């Protein structure tokens, strides 16, 4: 931990200033990041997500500290230039970024987990303002003269079926990003974050990956991991196999298909590598058949094998996709 209180400003769309203030204290079982914005709880949630994603690029992270971030007022709807100020305030209060002068920063990103700063919304950049994007700060590594941190991040995505019995049935994806970890003070679960999802889903994600990596025998204690979902709210556990496979592919522990990996399955025994049954075989198989493309690889629970009609398999093959029913994870 470093300074007890720091602030970083950002220029709003109307030319006025927003101020992000950060304090740090022992975590003591609390969330590692807490954010607040007056009368804007959804914006505070987004600030927390931005900061957590940006931390993915750090080689070392002390999970024993809690950072509390607050914005003095809410920006106009749709404004995002405050994002860089929040990321810098979080790093400044933890001693990872230092500046001799007060910091004014404008920048936004659609890939903070890669350390990328996509741009800013200022019509012209005033002297002394740190602006993100081309001609300014292209990535967070440049703050300390380091290479682009995205080079050290491996990513993989897998898809899983979401069915609700109607037109809302669709494929959704889960994406896993890993980078080598050097932080010996962290336990395995603290190295895994899923920004944007609720506490219950984040806990489930952590439990699944920790258990599956235990079975793997090579994944524990080696990685900083960020998990992203296409949808932040959904029900059921059919995403678990897709999550495990995306993690294995990102870590180089499983083959990549020519197309996408589509998977559904869950387990109460990921530590033993077991893949167990999930409900909804008929509607999920219908959805998978409708969405499958050439080169796709589909993984289903072994319990579904007897329910797969020969016509379903033949049509899937005609579309250029392949299917396997599995009861264990491994090189599949």
């Amino acid at each position: 931990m470093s300074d007890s209180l720091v602030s970083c400003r950002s220029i709003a769309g109307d030319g006025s200033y927003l101020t992000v203030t950060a304090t740090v204290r022992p975590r003591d079982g609390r969330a590692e990041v807490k954010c607040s914005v007056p009368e804007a709880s959804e914006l505070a949630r987004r600030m927390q997500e931005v900061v957590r994603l940006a931390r993915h690029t750090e080689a070392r992270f002390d999970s024993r500290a809690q950072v509390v971030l607050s914005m003095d007022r809410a920006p106009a709807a749709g404004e995002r230039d405050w994002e860089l100020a929040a990321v810098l305030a979080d790093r400044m209060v933890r001693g990872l970024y230092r500046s001799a002068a007060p910091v004014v920063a404008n920048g936004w990103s659609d890939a903070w987990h890669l350390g990328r700063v996509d741009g800013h919304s200022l019509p012209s950049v005033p002297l002394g303002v740190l602006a993100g994007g081309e001609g300014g700060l292209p990535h967070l590594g440049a703050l300390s003269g380091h290479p682009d941190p995205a080079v050290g991040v491996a990513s993989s995505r897998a898809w899983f079926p979401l069915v609700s019995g109607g037109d809302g049935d669709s494929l959704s994806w889960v994406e896993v990003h890993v980078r080598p970890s050097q932080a010996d003070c962290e336990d395995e679960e603290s190295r895994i974050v899923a920004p944007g999802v609720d506490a219950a889903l984040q806990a489930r994600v952590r439990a699944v990956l920790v258990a599956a990596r235990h079975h793997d025998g090579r994944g524990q204690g080696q990685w900083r991991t960020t998990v992203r979902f296409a949808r932040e709210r959904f029900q059921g556990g059919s995403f678990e196999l897709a999550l495990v496979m995306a993690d294995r592919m990102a870590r180089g522990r499983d083959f990549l298909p020519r197309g996408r990996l589509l998977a559904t399955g869950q387990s109460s025994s990921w530590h033993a590598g077991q893949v167990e049954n999930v409900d909804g075989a008929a509607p999920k198989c219908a959805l998978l058949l409708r969405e499958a493309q050439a080169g796709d690889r589909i993984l289903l629970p072994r319990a579904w094998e007897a329910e797969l009609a020969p016509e379903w398999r033949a049509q899937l093959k005609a579309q250029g996709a392949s299917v396997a029913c599995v009861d264990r994870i491994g090189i599949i």
Side-chain angles (χ1 to χ4, degrees), residues 66-82:
Q66 183 193 52
V67 171
V68 180
L69 294 159
S70 62
M71 196 181 300
D72 61 343
R73 60 186 178 85
E79 290 190 12
R80 297 181 58 190
D81 265 20
W82 55 266

mmCIF file with all atom_site columns, all heavy atoms in Angstrom, residues 66-82:
data_model
loop_
_atom_site.group_PDB
_atom_site.id
_atom_site.type_symbol
_atom_site.label_atom_id
_atom_site.label_alt_id
_atom_site.label_comp_id
_atom_site.label_asym_id
_atom_site.label_entity_id
_atom_site.label_seq_id
_atom_site.pdbx_PDB_ins_code
_atom_site.Cartn_x
_atom_site.Cartn_y
_atom_site.Cartn_z
_atom_site.occupancy
_atom_site.B_iso_or_equiv
_atom_site.pdbx_formal_charge
_atom_site.auth_seq_id
_atom_site.auth_comp_id
_atom_site.auth_asym_id
_atom_site.auth_atom_id
_atom_site.pdbx_PDB_model_num
ATOM 1   N N   . GLN A 1 66 ? -7.709  -3.030 0.002   1.00 0.00 ? 66 GLN A N   1
ATOM 2   C CA  . GLN A 1 66 ? -8.926  -2.565 -0.649  1.00 0.00 ? 66 GLN A CA  1
ATOM 3   C C   . GLN A 1 66 ? -8.739  -1.129 -1.088  1.00 0.00 ? 66 GLN A C   1
ATOM 4   O O   . GLN A 1 66 ? -8.265  -0.289 -0.319  1.00 0.00 ? 66 GLN A O   1
ATOM 5   C CB  . GLN A 1 66 ? -10.140 -2.635 0.279   1.00 0.00 ? 66 GLN A CB  1
ATOM 6   C CG  . GLN A 1 66 ? -11.428 -2.206 -0.441  1.00 0.00 ? 66 GLN A CG  1
ATOM 7   C CD  . GLN A 1 66 ? -12.608 -1.961 0.490   1.00 0.00 ? 66 GLN A CD  1
ATOM 8   O OE1 . GLN A 1 66 ? -12.483 -1.207 1.462   1.00 0.00 ? 66 GLN A OE1 1
ATOM 9   N NE2 . GLN A 1 66 ? -13.731 -2.593 0.209   1.00 0.00 ? 66 GLN A NE2 1
ATOM 10  N N   . VAL A 1 67 ? -9.107  -0.828 -2.333  1.00 0.00 ? 67 VAL A N   1
ATOM 11  C CA  . VAL A 1 67 ? -9.101  0.536  -2.837  1.00 0.00 ? 67 VAL A CA  1
ATOM 12  C C   . VAL A 1 67 ? -10.539 1.012  -2.950  1.00 0.00 ? 67 VAL A C   1
ATOM 13  O O   . VAL A 1 67 ? -11.394 0.311  -3.498  1.00 0.00 ? 67 VAL A O   1
ATOM 14  C CB  . VAL A 1 67 ? -8.406  0.627  -4.211  1.00 0.00 ? 67 VAL A CB  1
ATOM 15  C CG1 . VAL A 1 67 ? -8.594  2.016  -4.825  1.00 0.00 ? 67 VAL A CG1 1
ATOM 16  C CG2 . VAL A 1 67 ? -6.922  0.321  -4.063  1.00 0.00 ? 67 VAL A CG2 1
ATOM 17  N N   . VAL A 1 68 ? -10.806 2.202  -2.409  1.00 0.00 ? 68 VAL A N   1
ATOM 18  C CA  . VAL A 1 68 ? -12.130 2.819  -2.488  1.00 0.00 ? 68 VAL A CA  1
ATOM 19  C C   . VAL A 1 68 ? -12.032 4.019  -3.418  1.00 0.00 ? 68 VAL A C   1
ATOM 20  O O   . VAL A 1 68 ? -11.245 4.943  -3.175  1.00 0.00 ? 68 VAL A O   1
ATOM 21  C CB  . VAL A 1 68 ? -12.632 3.253  -1.101  1.00 0.00 ? 68 VAL A CB  1
ATOM 22  C CG1 . VAL A 1 68 ? -14.020 3.886  -1.220  1.00 0.00 ? 68 VAL A CG1 1
ATOM 23  C CG2 . VAL A 1 68 ? -12.667 2.064  -0.147  1.00 0.00 ? 68 VAL A CG2 1
ATOM 24  N N   . LEU A 1 69 ? -12.794 3.987  -4.504  1.00 0.00 ? 69 LEU A N   1
ATOM 25  C CA  . LEU A 1 69 ? -12.792 5.056  -5.503  1.00 0.00 ? 69 LEU A CA  1
ATOM 26  C C   . LEU A 1 69 ? -14.130 5.778  -5.490  1.00 0.00 ? 69 LEU A C   1
ATOM 27  O O   . LEU A 1 69 ? -15.190 5.150  -5.387  1.00 0.00 ? 69 LEU A O   1
ATOM 28  C CB  . LEU A 1 69 ? -12.561 4.481  -6.901  1.00 0.00 ? 69 LEU A CB  1
ATOM 29  C CG  . LEU A 1 69 ? -11.210 3.840  -7.178  1.00 0.00 ? 69 LEU A CG  1
ATOM 30  C CD1 . LEU A 1 69 ? -11.302 2.885  -8.350  1.00 0.00 ? 69 LEU A CD1 1
ATOM 31  C CD2 . LEU A 1 69 ? -10.168 4.908  -7.462  1.00 0.00 ? 69 LEU A CD2 1
ATOM 32  N N   . SER A 1 70 ? -14.081 7.097  -5.606  1.00 0.00 ? 70 SER A N   1
ATOM 33  C CA  . SER A 1 70 ? -15.316 7.866  -5.686  1.00 0.00 ? 70 SER A CA  1
ATOM 34  C C   . SER A 1 70 ? -15.156 8.980  -6.716  1.00 0.00 ? 70 SER A C   1
ATOM 35  O O   . SER A 1 70 ? -14.059 9.515  -6.910  1.00 0.00 ? 70 SER A O   1
ATOM 36  C CB  . SER A 1 70 ? -15.681 8.472  -4.319  1.00 0.00 ? 70 SER A CB  1
ATOM 37  O OG  . SER A 1 70 ? -14.679 9.378  -3.890  1.00 0.00 ? 70 SER A OG  1
ATOM 38  N N   . MET A 1 71 ? -16.252 9.310  -7.379  1.00 0.00 ? 71 MET A N   1
ATOM 39  C CA  . MET A 1 71 ? -16.280 10.408 -8.331  1.00 0.00 ? 71 MET A CA  1
ATOM 40  C C   . MET A 1 71 ? -17.143 11.511 -7.739  1.00 0.00 ? 71 MET A C   1
ATOM 41  O O   . MET A 1 71 ? -18.200 11.225 -7.161  1.00 0.00 ? 71 MET A O   1
ATOM 42  C CB  . MET A 1 71 ? -16.839 9.939  -9.677  1.00 0.00 ? 71 MET A CB  1
ATOM 43  C CG  . MET A 1 71 ? -16.569 10.880 -10.841 1.00 0.00 ? 71 MET A CG  1
ATOM 44  S SD  . MET A 1 71 ? -17.282 10.295 -12.411 1.00 0.00 ? 71 MET A SD  1
ATOM 45  C CE  . MET A 1 71 ? -16.452 8.723  -12.607 1.00 0.00 ? 71 MET A CE  1
ATOM 46  N N   . ASP A 1 72 ? -16.696 12.753 -7.854  1.00 0.00 ? 72 ASP A N   1
ATOM 47  C CA  . ASP A 1 72 ? -17.404 13.838 -7.166  1.00 0.00 ? 72 ASP A CA  1
ATOM 48  C C   . ASP A 1 72 ? -18.790 14.101 -7.737  1.00 0.00 ? 72 ASP A C   1
ATOM 49  O O   . ASP A 1 72 ? -19.675 14.581 -7.050  1.00 0.00 ? 72 ASP A O   1
ATOM 50  C CB  . ASP A 1 72 ? -16.563 15.121 -7.158  1.00 0.00 ? 72 ASP A CB  1
ATOM 51  C CG  . ASP A 1 72 ? -16.252 15.641 -8.555  1.00 0.00 ? 72 ASP A CG  1
ATOM 52  O OD1 . ASP A 1 72 ? -16.388 14.867 -9.521  1.00 0.00 ? 72 ASP A OD1 1
ATOM 53  O OD2 . ASP A 1 72 ? -15.840 16.813 -8.668  1.00 0.00 ? 72 ASP A OD2 1
ATOM 54  N N   . ARG A 1 73 ? -19.003 13.761 -9.016  1.00 0.00 ? 73 ARG A N   1
ATOM 55  C CA  . ARG A 1 73 ? -20.329 13.890 -9.628  1.00 0.00 ? 73 ARG A CA  1
ATOM 56  C C   . ARG A 1 73 ? -20.378 13.003 -10.860 1.00 0.00 ? 73 ARG A C   1
ATOM 57  O O   . ARG A 1 73 ? -19.352 12.567 -11.369 1.00 0.00 ? 73 ARG A O   1
ATOM 58  C CB  . ARG A 1 73 ? -20.617 15.337 -10.025 1.00 0.00 ? 73 ARG A CB  1
ATOM 59  C CG  . ARG A 1 73 ? -19.637 15.912 -11.035 1.00 0.00 ? 73 ARG A CG  1
ATOM 60  C CD  . ARG A 1 73 ? -19.885 17.391 -11.286 1.00 0.00 ? 73 ARG A CD  1
ATOM 61  N NE  . ARG A 1 73 ? -18.915 17.967 -12.219 1.00 0.00 ? 73 ARG A NE  1
ATOM 62  C CZ  . ARG A 1 73 ? -19.024 17.929 -13.546 1.00 0.00 ? 73 ARG A CZ  1
ATOM 63  N NH1 . ARG A 1 73 ? -20.094 17.352 -14.099 1.00 0.00 ? 73 ARG A NH1 1
ATOM 64  N NH2 . ARG A 1 73 ? -18.100 18.455 -14.320 1.00 0.00 ? 73 ARG A NH2 1
ATOM 65  N N   . ALA A 1 74 ? -21.571 12.714 -11.308 1.00 0.00 ? 74 ALA A N   1
ATOM 66  C CA  . ALA A 1 74 ? -21.728 11.838 -12.467 1.00 0.00 ? 74 ALA A CA  1
ATOM 67  C C   . ALA A 1 74 ? -21.544 12.626 -13.760 1.00 0.00 ? 74 ALA A C   1
ATOM 68  O O   . ALA A 1 74 ? -22.052 13.746 -13.887 1.00 0.00 ? 74 ALA A O   1
ATOM 69  C CB  . ALA A 1 74 ? -23.108 11.190 -12.452 1.00 0.00 ? 74 ALA A CB  1
ATOM 70  N N   . PRO A 1 75 ? -20.815 12.082 -14.742 1.00 0.00 ? 75 PRO A N   1
ATOM 71  C CA  . PRO A 1 75 ? -20.715 12.734 -16.048 1.00 0.00 ? 75 PRO A CA  1
ATOM 72  C C   . PRO A 1 75 ? -22.023 12.579 -16.819 1.00 0.00 ? 75 PRO A C   1
ATOM 73  O O   . PRO A 1 75 ? -22.936 11.851 -16.389 1.00 0.00 ? 75 PRO A O   1
ATOM 74  C CB  . PRO A 1 75 ? -19.584 11.958 -16.726 1.00 0.00 ? 75 PRO A CB  1
ATOM 75  C CG  . PRO A 1 75 ? -19.654 10.599 -16.107 1.00 0.00 ? 75 PRO A CG  1
ATOM 76  C CD  . PRO A 1 75 ? -20.070 10.822 -14.682 1.00 0.00 ? 75 PRO A CD  1
ATOM 77  N N   . ALA A 1 76 ? -22.112 13.240 -17.940 1.00 0.00 ? 76 ALA A N   1
ATOM 78  C CA  . ALA A 1 76 ? -23.305 13.122 -18.779 1.00 0.00 ? 76 ALA A CA  1
ATOM 79  C C   . ALA A 1 76 ? -23.418 11.697 -19.303 1.00 0.00 ? 76 ALA A C   1
ATOM 80  O O   . ALA A 1 76 ? -22.425 10.968 -19.427 1.00 0.00 ? 76 ALA A O   1
ATOM 81  C CB  . ALA A 1 76 ? -23.228 14.118 -19.933 1.00 0.00 ? 76 ALA A CB  1
ATOM 82  N N   . ALA A 1 77 ? -24.630 11.289 -19.608 1.00 0.00 ? 77 ALA A N   1
ATOM 83  C CA  . ALA A 1 77 ? -24.879 9.936  -20.102 1.00 0.00 ? 77 ALA A CA  1
ATOM 84  C C   . ALA A 1 77 ? -24.042 9.662  -21.348 1.00 0.00 ? 77 ALA A C   1
ATOM 85  O O   . ALA A 1 77 ? -23.974 10.480 -22.263 1.00 0.00 ? 77 ALA A O   1
ATOM 86  C CB  . ALA A 1 77 ? -26.365 9.766  -20.423 1.00 0.00 ? 77 ALA A CB  1
ATOM 87  N N   . GLY A 1 78 ? -23.399 8.503  -21.364 1.00 0.00 ? 78 GLY A N   1
ATOM 88  C CA  . GLY A 1 78 ? -22.611 8.096  -22.518 1.00 0.00 ? 78 GLY A CA  1
ATOM 89  C C   . GLY A 1 78 ? -21.162 8.530  -22.493 1.00 0.00 ? 78 GLY A C   1
ATOM 90  O O   . GLY A 1 78 ? -20.359 8.038  -23.290 1.00 0.00 ? 78 GLY A O   1
ATOM 91  N N   . GLU A 1 79 ? -20.794 9.454  -21.607 1.00 0.00 ? 79 GLU A N   1
ATOM 92  C CA  . GLU A 1 79 ? -19.397 9.893  -21.534 1.00 0.00 ? 79 GLU A CA  1
ATOM 93  C C   . GLU A 1 79 ? -18.537 8.805  -20.885 1.00 0.00 ? 79 GLU A C   1
ATOM 94  O O   . GLU A 1 79 ? -18.923 8.196  -19.892 1.00 0.00 ? 79 GLU A O   1
ATOM 95  C CB  . GLU A 1 79 ? -19.273 11.197 -20.742 1.00 0.00 ? 79 GLU A CB  1
ATOM 96  C CG  . GLU A 1 79 ? -19.849 12.400 -21.469 1.00 0.00 ? 79 GLU A CG  1
ATOM 97  C CD  . GLU A 1 79 ? -19.497 13.708 -20.775 1.00 0.00 ? 79 GLU A CD  1
ATOM 98  O OE1 . GLU A 1 79 ? -18.629 13.688 -19.878 1.00 0.00 ? 79 GLU A OE1 1
ATOM 99  O OE2 . GLU A 1 79 ? -20.101 14.741 -21.123 1.00 0.00 ? 79 GLU A OE2 1
ATOM 100 N N   . ARG A 1 80 ? -17.347 8.582  -21.453 1.00 0.00 ? 80 ARG A N   1
ATOM 101 C CA  . ARG A 1 80 ? -16.476 7.515  -20.952 1.00 0.00 ? 80 ARG A CA  1
ATOM 102 C C   . ARG A 1 80 ? -15.042 7.982  -20.699 1.00 0.00 ? 80 ARG A C   1
ATOM 103 O O   . ARG A 1 80 ? -14.206 7.179  -20.275 1.00 0.00 ? 80 ARG A O   1
ATOM 104 C CB  . ARG A 1 80 ? -16.460 6.351  -21.946 1.00 0.00 ? 80 ARG A CB  1
ATOM 105 C CG  . ARG A 1 80 ? -17.798 5.664  -22.148 1.00 0.00 ? 80 ARG A CG  1
ATOM 106 C CD  . ARG A 1 80 ? -17.668 4.515  -23.134 1.00 0.00 ? 80 ARG A CD  1
ATOM 107 N NE  . ARG A 1 80 ? -16.688 3.536  -22.685 1.00 0.00 ? 80 ARG A NE  1
ATOM 108 C CZ  . ARG A 1 80 ? -16.246 2.535  -23.460 1.00 0.00 ? 80 ARG A CZ  1
ATOM 109 N NH1 . ARG A 1 80 ? -16.675 2.410  -24.698 1.00 0.00 ? 80 ARG A NH1 1
ATOM 110 N NH2 . ARG A 1 80 ? -15.354 1.681  -22.992 1.00 0.00 ? 80 ARG A NH2 1
ATOM 111 N N   . ASP A 1 81 ? -14.753 9.236  -20.943 1.00 0.00 ? 81 ASP A N   1
ATOM 112 C CA  . ASP A 1 81 ? -13.369 9.693  -20.797 1.00 0.00 ? 81 ASP A CA  1
ATOM 113 C C   . ASP A 1 81 ? -12.855 9.638  -19.365 1.00 0.00 ? 81 ASP A C   1
ATOM 114 O O   . ASP A 1 81 ? -11.648 9.738  -19.129 1.00 0.00 ? 81 ASP A O   1
ATOM 115 C CB  . ASP A 1 81 ? -13.226 11.117 -21.347 1.00 0.00 ? 81 ASP A CB  1
ATOM 116 C CG  . ASP A 1 81 ? -12.736 11.125 -22.790 1.00 0.00 ? 81 ASP A CG  1
ATOM 117 O OD1 . ASP A 1 81 ? -12.869 10.075 -23.461 1.00 0.00 ? 81 ASP A OD1 1
ATOM 118 O OD2 . ASP A 1 81 ? -12.224 12.153 -23.247 1.00 0.00 ? 81 ASP A OD2 1
ATOM 119 N N   . TRP A 1 82 ? -13.746 9.471  -18.384 1.00 0.00 ? 82 TRP A N   1
ATOM 120 C CA  . TRP A 1 82 ? -13.348 9.361  -16.987 1.00 0.00 ? 82 TRP A CA  1
ATOM 121 C C   . TRP A 1 82 ? -12.654 8.024  -16.699 1.00 0.00 ? 82 TRP A C   1
ATOM 122 O O   . TRP A 1 82 ? -12.002 7.860  -15.659 1.00 0.00 ? 82 TRP A O   1
ATOM 123 C CB  . TRP A 1 82 ? -14.570 9.476  -16.071 1.00 0.00 ? 82 TRP A CB  1
ATOM 124 C CG  . TRP A 1 82 ? -15.651 8.481  -16.412 1.00 0.00 ? 82 TRP A CG  1
ATOM 125 C CD1 . TRP A 1 82 ? -16.731 8.676  -17.222 1.00 0.00 ? 82 TRP A CD1 1
ATOM 126 C CD2 . TRP A 1 82 ? -15.726 7.105  -15.987 1.00 0.00 ? 82 TRP A CD2 1
ATOM 127 N NE1 . TRP A 1 82 ? -17.479 7.521  -17.336 1.00 0.00 ? 82 TRP A NE1 1
ATOM 128 C CE2 . TRP A 1 82 ? -16.890 6.551  -16.584 1.00 0.00 ? 82 TRP A CE2 1
ATOM 129 C CE3 . TRP A 1 82 ? -14.930 6.303  -15.172 1.00 0.00 ? 82 TRP A CE3 1
ATOM 130 C CZ2 . TRP A 1 82 ? -17.265 5.226  -16.380 1.00 0.00 ? 82 TRP A CZ2 1
ATOM 131 C CZ3 . TRP A 1 82 ? -15.305 4.978  -14.970 1.00 0.00 ? 82 TRP A CZ3 1
ATOM 132 C CH2 . TRP A 1 82 ? -16.461 4.459  -15.569 1.00 0.00 ? 82 TRP A CH2 1
#
